[in-house]
Amino acid sequence: MKVYNSLSRREEPFAPERGGEVRMYTCGPTVYNFAHIGNFRAYVFEDVLRRTLEFNGWKVKQVQNLTDVDDKTIRGANAAGVPLQEYTKPYKEAFFADLKTLNVEPAEVYPAATDHIPEMIELVRRLVDAGVAYRSDDGSVYFSVVKFPGYGKLAHIDFENQRTGARCAADEYDKENVGDFALWKAWEESDGPVGWDSPWGRGRPGWHIECSAMSMKYLGETFDLHTGGIDNLFPHHENEIAQAEAATGKPFVRTWMHCAHLRVNGEKMSKSAGNFFTLRDLLEKGWTGREIRYVLAGAHYRQGLNFAFSALEDARKSLARVDTCVAALEARAAGAAPGAAPEFAASALEAFSAAVNDDLNTPRAYAALFNLVRSANAAMETLRPQDAAAALAAFARMDSVLGFVQSGKSAAGGGEAVPPGVAALLEERARARAEKNWAESDRLRDAIAAAGWAVKDSKTGQAVSKIRPQG
Ligand code: AMP
Ligand code: ZN
């Protein structure tokens, strides 16, 4: 397997350091709000990575943190007038529900920052003892970037001329404002009831120390992979490296991987820009987790991806093609055991494997999937049951990475996947509407309803949802 390492800025062969197990850390959500689908682009990329590692036969130990104390969560809790834990709880629950909807495999550990304050205090203490951190007059503790010669190695910036001894108390800042950053923040009026006692007085951890402390606790002082969205690279990941390596004297992470942003009209999707959709927004419009996953995983992770509803429409059509083919293969296989893979299935699977192992080239992996659909359809009438079963096994193998192929079975669901029959009726109805044939459109709406699905029309096209039994 080859991946692009943000640290070396090169594609490199990847294998875990220790035997068969990959130790991987993923920056998780700040639970002050519902995650938007930009965040989920990062989590789906990390899931495809995880599943590819498993596809290759490695075991994965993945740790994903929950940032439940930082500038934003404290601001939210105090504005709402509720304790921090009470404020973050529904967003933690929503996050796990959303991961399920997107068929993201669960990580092995989900440490919450508020459960690891002693570990963070201990790490800050080590840094103070090592002479790379200092207490300021107000009782905060700062990391002195001039004391760590490797500072800037991930962001590839030469900070020599910028080392002014300035300090930055905020969790998030940009490269122009590089300076000593907060490891521990002294309690302030605006923190309200949030705070913990420490050797430097009452306060709370900075955001960056959370990830260094929790990753090393669960994965060791050096581990294989660390991932996140590209906006995490600086200052968050740069600071994580400084904190960990200055404390341990060992390399922190072997390979760093970052995904590009999900954008809307060319701009990063973000809470602050207000240009976001949560996963829930899209489910309410009738799209399924399966369709959303298809779109998010479909672009190469290092390429920007512009969000558009037309992509969801394409996803629906493409998935209907997969479903139709799989259903036909199932009928032909009639429960037979898979025989040797027919040539078309073996070569599609080989192309698929080469694609995902080439720095997670999902566009090429999708092409291999649809090659399999095309050749299976072309050969359908001549396939023996054991051939059909072998082709199904190839789909299943691809699905172990993609997580949306076998709709019914692996239930990349959220909303339940639209069955092929209904998808075909929807396509027919879209055509009727394009031709302004309203009578036909209404007839098809009734046929879709008879199959148990309700269809709604909007500017972006048709949206369906399962009709729930009344009462
Ligand atoms: P946050 O909750 O802001 O800490 O972000 C959680 C994760 O989502 C991080 O890995 C971010 O880098 C990532 N992220 C945030 N916005 C986007 C976006 N528009 N596209 C892709 N990833 C994003
Ligand atoms: Zn982090």
Side-chain angles (χ1 to χ4, degrees), residues 294 317-319 321-322 365-375 395 398 404:
Y294 180 98
K317 287 189 205 128
S318 303
L319 287 168
R321 278 177 63 208
V322 175
Y366 280 37
L369 171 72
F370 286 99
N371 270 335
L372 181 56
V373 169
R374 244 186 317 276
S375 15
F395 274 113
M398 293 183 182
F404 56 67

Side-chain angles (χ1 to χ4, degrees), residues 275-294:
N275 60 354
F276 63 92
F277 292 100
T278 63
L279 186 61
R280 282 127 205 270
D281 292 335
L282 297 185
L283 297 179
E284 265 166 34
K285 289 180 191 289
W287 302 103
T288 63
R290 185 187 186 213
E291 289 157 352
I292 298 162
R293 181 178 172 97
Y294 180 98

Side-chain angles (χ1 to χ4, degrees), residues 25 27 65 207 211 226 236-237 240:
Y25 187 86
C27 285
N65 68 298
W207 171 40
C211 284
H226 195 315
H236 185 51
H237 291 162
E240 277 190 47

Side-chain angles (χ1 to χ4, degrees), residues 2-6 9-11 256-257 301-302 359:
K2 226 174 38 179
V3 301
Y4 181 87
N5 185 351
S6 311
R9 293 200 169 170
R10 252 186 243 129
E11 278 193 5
W256 289 87
M257 291 174 74
Y301 75 95
R302 287 195 287 118
D359 194 29

